[in-house]
């Protein structure tokens, strides 16, 4: 699949996506977090790319949401789902579910939703999810004690591109390599022509080094695990909490042994260095503390000599002698003649202190002995070249130890790289599933049956399948969901919906639109049961606010002209279109629109108070349903919210006149009632 073929992916975005390890597979997976790791692609953009890839895979090029109000209902549906997520990832991932006209996409999404709805949204799992987040790529680590070397220009360019962590040096012969060996702790030569090279230093010839980055630059893998330590531990906690709740993330258990992962992470410090190795800690501390330890050791020797001088009887008073010494007088020969044994003891004390302070091994202690000695002096001098040699040896030992431990740990972590990706992805996807499960539980949802549009049947046109909702309750109403009255309603063909003011006509349209939108997203719907035709387009026109001027009225008619000239397979919901102009003209216009929709076997529900007038103006038998008011009780309407099929509902004025006729009697009220 060409990345540019995905809707919404241009050349610049495609170039960013190609920076991913397997861009096509990543995009097709729908993994929003993985897509968002492409340079310059945030999670919102990644969700749009994933949605475009899904459309491409299912050949889903249509635009189901054809009007602003339809798109508003979709956003409200998505928001209801997103409110039930814990992670930002899940909130973005839900954006990949959209109302589709593709049967295969709807079936795919329904399969996901069916499994998700069976999940148990355990509070402990949701608490563990709070710390869960997608993995991130760490900044490039610069490794300065190691380099790559090559004599080939193409290999040089490849090495610089594939291993940015290391310096890549150009060499021509063994002498160049030998010089690098003195400058770097280790050198990796990439050319086979240097095989058998014997030079001083840690130099190896590895033509396959670029194919084994975990061995060549283990810091890359270690930096990844260090950067993502908290995310990995959080994902592991999610898997454990889900298993404890009896609803494991996946049937086969976590893709990685969690104890093994935690053991490996315990050997890694937050900055990507090795942790928990006593020998490496000893060498590191010895290098860091060397100068301070030398200074302290010299002070130990000085104190020993100072005490010895005070206690000795020489040609001059000891205190006078000490004063001369401290003023810098040369006393080499005097120390050598009068205090030789004491000087040797002081030097031994300095050497012992240095070895103890740095916890030196015997071979290291031999080097440390050279730091103090030589000609007698006071204060006791140290040999800076010997200190430098000791520092070089300790640093080299530290670096060798660190390199070995890094290589060993990288080897242990190498085969965990892909499994931990799955570990985190599965945990994050669980949040998506739990959001669907909570949505289904909170609103008593069920998976609807999505049926194919009707076609030819024995040579004749079958009526449209339309929709059928039983026990539907809208979560969009401004009341507590348990208090929402259930609605049963089904329509096949073009229908007028009549009813009293505030009787629930608009909320019924909203319920129908919400159920159809959710159904074609593949999501559960808030109803006891529902059957929905797979519509190519959903047109929902909200109630107009007042009579339109001539220009706006013309534009509205153009919209409906395009609507009736369009393709089949549409759901049309219209709320009180008569408000756009005067009632007489509105009835004729609505009648004409219904006639065109009826000819196309569209499913349409028009809410109107002009049902009688529209039916009279239409050239076919318009179906009329009604939301019937049971009457007025203490000035309050009592309404049966489920529309009654084939029934023209009484208006609120009619109910009031009827009530007055019953309560007060009289010819006036009786005559008024007859006019209805």
């Amino acid at each position: 699949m060409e990345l540019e073929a995905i809707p919404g992916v241009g050349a610049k975005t495609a170039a960013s996506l190609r920076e991913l390890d397997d861009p096509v597979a990543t995009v097709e997976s729908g993994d929003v977090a993985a897509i968002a790791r492409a340079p310059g692609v945030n999670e919102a953009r990644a969700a749009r790319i994933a949605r475009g890839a899904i459309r491409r895979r299912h050949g889903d090029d249509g635009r189901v949401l054809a009007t602003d109000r339809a798109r508003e209902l979709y956003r409200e549906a998505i928001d209801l789902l997103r409110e039930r997520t814990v992670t930002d990832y899940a909130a973005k991932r839900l954006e990949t579910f959209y109302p589709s006209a593709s049967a295969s996409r709807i079936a795919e999404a329904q399969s996901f939703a069916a499994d998700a709805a069976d999940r148990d949204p355990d509070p402990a799992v949701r608490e563990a999810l709070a710390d869960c987040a997608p993995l991130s790529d760490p900044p490039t680590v610069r490794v300065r004690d190691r380099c790559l070397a090559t004599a080939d220009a193409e290999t040089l360019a490849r090495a610089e591109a594939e291993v940015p962590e290391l310096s890549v040096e150009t060499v021509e012969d063994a002498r160049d390599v030998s010089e690098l060996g003195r400058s770097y702790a280790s050198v990796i030569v990439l050319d086979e022509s240097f095989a058998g090279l014997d030079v001083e230093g840690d130099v190896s010839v590895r033509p396959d080094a670029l194919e084994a980055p975990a061995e060549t630059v283990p810091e890359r893998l270690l930096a990844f695990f260090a950067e993502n330590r908290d995310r990995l531990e959080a994902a592991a906690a999610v898997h454990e909490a889900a298993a404890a709740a009896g609803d494991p993330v996946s049937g086969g258990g976590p893709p990685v042994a969690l104890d093994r992962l935690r053991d490996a992470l315990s050997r890694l410090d937050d900055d990507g260095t090795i942790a928990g190795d006593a020998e490496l800690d000893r060498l590191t501390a010895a290098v860091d503390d060397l100068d301070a330890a030398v200074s302290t050791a010299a002070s130990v020797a000085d104190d020993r000599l100072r005490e010895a001088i005070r206690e000795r009887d020489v040609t001059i008073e000891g205190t006078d002698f000490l004063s001369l010494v401290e003023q810098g007088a040369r006393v080499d020969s005097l120390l050598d003649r009068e205090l030789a044994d004491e000087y040797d003891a002081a030097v031994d004390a300095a050497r012992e202190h240095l070895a103890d302070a740095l916890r030196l091994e015997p071979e290291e202690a031999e080097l440390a002995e050279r730091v103090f000695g030589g000609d007698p002096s006071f204060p006791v001098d140290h040999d800076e070249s010997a200190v430098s040699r000791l520092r070089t040896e300790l640093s080299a030992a530290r670096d060798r130890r660190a390199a070995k431990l890094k290589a060993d740990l990288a080897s242990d972590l190498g085969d965990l790289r892909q499994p931990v990706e799955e570990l985190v992805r599965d945990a994050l996807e669980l949040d998506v599933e739990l959001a669907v499960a909570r949505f289904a539980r909170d609103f008593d949802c069920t998976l609807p049956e999505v049926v194919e549009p009707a076609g030819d049947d024995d040579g004749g046109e079958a009526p449209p399948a339309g929709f059928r909702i039983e026990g539907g309750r809208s979560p969009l109403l401004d009341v507590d969901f348990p208090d929402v009255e259930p609605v049963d309603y089904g329509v096949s063909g073009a229908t007028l919906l009549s009813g009293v003011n505030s009787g629930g006509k608009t909320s019924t349209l909203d319920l129908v639109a919400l159920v159809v939108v959710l159904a074609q997203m593949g999501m559960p719907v808030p109803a006891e049961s529902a059957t929905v035709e797979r519509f190519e387009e959903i047109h929902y026109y909200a109630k107009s606010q007042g009579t339109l001027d001539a220009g706006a009225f013309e534009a509205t008619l153009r919209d409906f002209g395009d609507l009736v000239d369009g393709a089949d397979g549409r759901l049309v919901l219209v709320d009180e279109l008569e408000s756009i102009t005067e009632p007489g003209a509105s009835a004729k216009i609505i009648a004409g629109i219904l006639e065109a929709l009826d000819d196309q076997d569209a499913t349409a529900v028009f809410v109107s108070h002009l049902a009688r007038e529209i039916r009279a103006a239409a050239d076919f038998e318009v179906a009329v349903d009604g939301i019937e008011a049971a009457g007025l009780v203490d000035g309050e309407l009592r309404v049966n919210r489920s529309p009654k099929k084939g029934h023209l509902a009484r208006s609120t004025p009619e109910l009031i006149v009827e009530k007055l006729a019953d309560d007060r009697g009289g010819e006036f009220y009786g005559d008024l009632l007859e006019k209805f």
Side-chain angles (χ1 to χ4, degrees):
M1 178 183 70
E2 288 293 328
L3 293 173
E4 287 88 342
I6 298 172
V9 175
K12 184 177 180 180
T13 302
S16 293
L17 293 174
R18 290 191 183 97
E19 296 291 321
L20 300 171
D21 290 339
D22 190 345
V24 173
T26 300
V27 169
E28 288 187 335
S29 72
D31 187 338
V32 172
I35 298 171
R37 288 165 72 176
V41 177
N42 59 31
E43 286 189 345
R45 177 72 175 143
R48 291 193 293 272
I49 293 170
R51 189 164 58 242
I54 292 169
R55 286 186 177 275
R56 171 81 176 170
R57 187 171 74 248
H58 291 281
D60 190 7
D61 299 327
R63 188 184 184 195
V64 172
L65 302 171
T67 63
D68 289 343
R69 181 56 184 151
R71 288 184 283 274
E72 287 175 7
L73 259 296
Y74 167 62
R75 292 311 315 170
E76 292 182 62
I78 280 289
D79 287 345
L80 288 173
L81 287 159
R82 286 163 53 100
E83 288 168 5
R84 285 154 180 80
T85 62
V86 177
T87 64
D88 290 340
Y89 169 86
K92 296 294 190 301
R93 171 76 167 86
L94 283 167
E95 298 279 354
T96 65
F97 292 91
Y98 62 94
S100 172
S102 165
S104 60
R105 170 55 185 169
I106 294 172
E108 179 182 75
Q110 277 200 329
S111 176
F112 171 87
D115 292 340
D118 288 337
R119 288 284 189 186
D120 177 18
D122 186 88
V125 177
R126 286 175 49 76
E127 183 178 352
L129 278 166
D131 296 323
C132 206
L135 298 175
S136 63
D137 295 318
T140 299
V141 178
R142 293 297 301 173
V143 180
R144 305 190 184 281
D145 65 346
R146 189 179 326 127
C147 77
L148 302 176
T150 179
D152 180 70
E154 289 186 5
T155 303
L156 176 73
R158 181 188 170 198
E160 287 178 334
E162 295 185 10
V163 191
E165 296 90 347
L166 304 182
S167 295
V168 186
E169 307 286 352
T170 301
V171 294
E172 294 182 0
D173 50 32
R175 185 175 63 181
D176 291 341
V177 176
S178 179
E179 289 180 0
L180 289 177
R182 288 191 290 271
S183 301
Y184 289 92
S186 62
V187 179
I188 301 171
V189 184
L190 301 175
D191 303 343
E192 183 72 42
S193 59
F194 285 91
L197 183 70
D198 184 15
V199 295
E200 185 179 353
D202 183 6
V203 177
S204 60
V205 180
R206 289 176 47 207
D208 64 342
L210 298 182
E211 277 70 44
E215 298 177 18
T216 304
V217 56
E219 290 86 353
R220 178 187 300 175
L221 188 63
L222 301 186
F224 169 82
F225 278 91
E227 174 79 9
N228 292 289
R229 176 198 302 277
D230 292 344
R231 295 172 175 86
L232 294 173
E233 291 178 346
V238 169
H239 282 261
E240 289 173 333
D247 187 22
V249 176
S250 58
V256 58
L258 301 183
D259 288 345
R260 180 188 173 194
L261 174 62
R262 288 192 172 110
D263 176 69
L265 291 176
S266 71
R267 294 152 59 193
L268 187 63
D269 215 335
D270 289 340
D271 60 358
T273 57
I274 299 298
D277 183 78
E279 176 62 5
L280 179 60
D281 291 344
R282 182 189 72 83
L283 290 168
T284 301
V287 173
D288 293 343
D289 299 343
L290 178 58
D291 288 336
V294 168
S295 178
T296 303
S299 296
V300 169
D302 291 345
D303 290 344
R304 290 286 295 267
L305 276 178
R306 184 178 287 107
E307 188 64 26
I309 291 170
R310 286 196 181 101
E311 294 177 356
R312 283 293 300 268
D313 289 330
V314 290
T315 305
I316 61 176
E317 290 290 332
T319 54
D320 294 336
F321 175 72
L322 180 59
S323 176
L324 287 171
V325 169
E326 289 179 341
Q327 292 174 22
R330 288 183 55 81
V331 292
D332 305 17
S333 59
L334 188 58
L335 282 173
D336 190 31
R337 186 184 73 244
E338 299 290 341
L339 298 168
D341 291 341
E342 286 79 356
Y343 181 80
D344 290 342
V347 168
D348 287 342
R351 290 169 175 169
E352 182 178 353
H353 176 85
L354 183 62
D356 289 344
L358 300 180
R359 295 185 294 157
L360 300 179
E361 295 293 332
E363 61 274 14
E364 298 163 350
E366 290 180 9
L367 287 175
E369 289 182 1
R370 303 174 190 176
V371 173
F372 296 100
D375 295 334
S377 64
F378 186 86
V380 174
D381 288 335
H382 67 269
D383 186 344
E384 192 59 46
S385 64
V387 174
S388 178
R389 175 67 185 277
L390 179 58
R391 178 182 289 105
T392 298
E393 292 298 322
L394 290 172
S395 297
R398 177 200 61 192
D399 293 343
R400 286 193 299 271
R401 180 70 178 178
K404 179 181 183 305
L405 292 171
K406 287 178 182 178
D408 291 345
L409 183 53
S411 177
D412 291 345
L413 290 171
D415 61 348
L416 298 184
R417 181 66 169 79
Q418 186 60 38
V420 298
E421 293 269 5
E422 296 177 22
L423 181 82
V424 174
R425 183 173 61 249
D426 289 350
L428 292 169
E429 283 293 311
L430 177 64
D431 190 23
V432 183
E433 296 176 25
L434 293 181
V436 175
R438 293 186 67 212
F439 175 83
R441 283 167 170 75
D442 289 349
F443 303 123
D444 296 335
C445 292
T446 186
L447 273 178
E449 180 183 5
V450 180
V451 299
E452 293 300 298
D456 290 340
D457 185 10
D458 296 329
E461 288 290 335
F467 62 86
R468 177 68 193 172
I469 302 169
E470 295 183 2
R473 291 190 292 164
S474 174
L476 304 178
L477 298 175
D478 192 20
V479 296
D480 292 338
F481 185 74
D483 297 331
V484 176
E485 296 180 37
V487 172
D488 298 335
Y489 193 38
V491 169
S492 175
T495 301
L496 287 168
L497 179 59
S498 62
V500 296
N501 290 330
S502 303
K505 299 185 296 299
T506 298
S507 60
T508 298
L509 283 193
D510 284 350
L511 173 64
V512 171
L514 180 64
V515 167
V516 174
V517 165
L518 285 168
Q520 297 199 208
M521 289 170 62
M523 292 289 111
V525 301
E528 294 176 6
S529 67
T531 301
V532 174
E533 178 182 336
R534 180 171 58 83
F535 295 107
E536 294 291 331
E537 296 175 358
I538 301 173
H539 296 258
Y540 187 179
Y541 296 90
K543 185 186 302 183
S544 175
Q545 300 300 314
T547 302
L548 303 181
D549 61 30
F553 177 72
E554 181 181 347
T556 300
L557 285 185
R558 280 203 200 97
D559 288 343
F560 280 98
D562 295 338
L563 167 63
V564 298
D565 288 339
D568 294 339
R570 285 157 304 159
L571 171 67
V572 182
L573 305 173
V574 183
D575 193 3
E576 295 190 22
L577 183 60
E578 62 262 29
S579 62
I580 65 173
T581 187
E582 59 268 16
S586 294
K588 295 173 184 177
I589 291 168
I590 295 171
I593 295 171
L594 288 173
E595 289 167 5
L597 293 174
D598 181 66
D599 288 342
Q600 295 178 356
D601 288 330
T603 297
V605 180
F606 278 59
V607 168
S608 179
H609 292 288
L610 303 177
R612 287 190 180 90
E613 293 83 351
I614 295 168
R615 190 162 54 178
D619 63 3
F620 76 105
E621 189 66 28
V622 182
V624 178
D625 301 332
I627 296 179
E628 181 69 10
L632 290 166
V633 179
D634 297 328
E636 295 282 335
L637 276 174
R638 293 293 182 264
V639 180
N640 180 2
R641 301 293 179 180
S642 296
K644 186 176 180 181
K645 301 299 293 180
H647 176 72
L648 179 60
R650 294 176 295 172
S651 65
T652 303
E654 181 180 359
L655 289 171
I656 294 173
V657 172
E658 181 183 63
K659 183 177 186 300
L660 289 171
D662 291 342
D663 291 348
R664 305 184 66 175
E667 184 177 347
F668 173 72
Y669 296 114
D671 291 344
L672 283 180
L673 186 59
E674 287 180 3
K675 294 188 179 295
F676 285 96

